[in-house]
Amino acid sequence: MTDLSMNPEDWIPHRAPFLLIDRLISVEPGVRASGEWTPTGEEWFFRGHFPGRPTTPGVLMLEAVAQVGAVAVLSDERFSGRLPLFGGVENARFRRQVLPGDTLLLECEMTRLSARGGKGHGRASVDGQVAVEADLLFILADASDRKSTRLNSS
């Protein structure tokens, strides 16, 4: 879509060091989004994961996929002012190591979407080889209300 911003910071609240999308490739509001992330080796997590053999943590690859999914959701005007939060991860499979300098293609497609939350299927791949894929469940909280972001409130 040519009229949509391809800057991830225009869509999601994440910022360095936790913004894990370098650039967006495509956005279809409420349906799907894709982007890229190239871990350089200078990121904070490589110092301890693993010394002498830096490997991108699988949970951060899942987070990067979720971030492109959040772009797909938040680019839909129906969800303006909302904040997608993880509700669960199903069927996660880690299939390939990702090393510094590898470029991840991040893709997420919404499979169910409602006013309260939804589900998406996403994957991250390097040179056509899947590194991780999973079904991501999320709830939609009010972005301005700190109390509504508590999943287990009493």
Side-chain angles (χ1 to χ4, degrees):
M1 301 232 148
T2 57
D3 58 336
L4 292 176
S5 169
M6 290 292 116
N7 180 356
E9 290 186 2
D10 290 343
W11 297 110
I12 59 176
H14 301 75
R15 296 296 180 264
F18 214 69
L19 177 62
L20 303 177
I21 307 169
D22 293 330
R23 72 181 191 96
L24 292 169
I25 297 170
S26 68
V27 178
E28 190 175 339
V31 178
R32 69 178 57 87
S34 64
E36 289 182 337
W37 176 38
T38 304
T40 65
E42 299 302 314
E43 291 82 2
W44 57 273
F45 52 82
F46 281 126
R47 287 191 305 272
H49 196 267
F50 296 96
R53 187 175 177 168
T55 302
T56 306
V59 295
L60 293 182
M61 289 187 281
L62 279 176
E63 172 65 26
V65 170
Q67 288 181 16
V68 251
V71 169
V73 173
L74 295 175
S75 62
D76 185 323
E77 63 186 30
R78 297 177 295 166
F79 305 108
S80 179
R82 305 301 299 275
L83 180 64
L85 300 173
F86 264 125
V89 176
E90 296 178 340
N91 307 313
R93 296 291 180 263
F94 301 94
R95 303 187 185 279
R96 180 191 192 283
Q97 281 188 316
V98 175
L99 306 175
D102 286 343
T103 296
L104 285 155
L105 172 62
L106 310 166
E107 303 169 287
C108 193
E109 181 172 352
M110 297 300 105
T111 57
R112 189 178 72 227
L113 193 55
S114 73
R116 296 184 61 197
K119 187 175 185 177
H121 181 78
R123 75 185 54 78
S125 57
V126 176
D127 296 328
Q129 295 180 334
V130 175
V132 63
E133 67 181 319
D135 295 315
L136 308 173
L137 290 80
F138 61 92
I139 62 162
L140 285 165
D142 181 347
S144 63
D145 182 5
R146 290 188 58 167
K147 289 182 184 178
S148 71
T149 61
R150 293 188 190 136
L151 293 176
N152 297 316
S153 60
S154 31

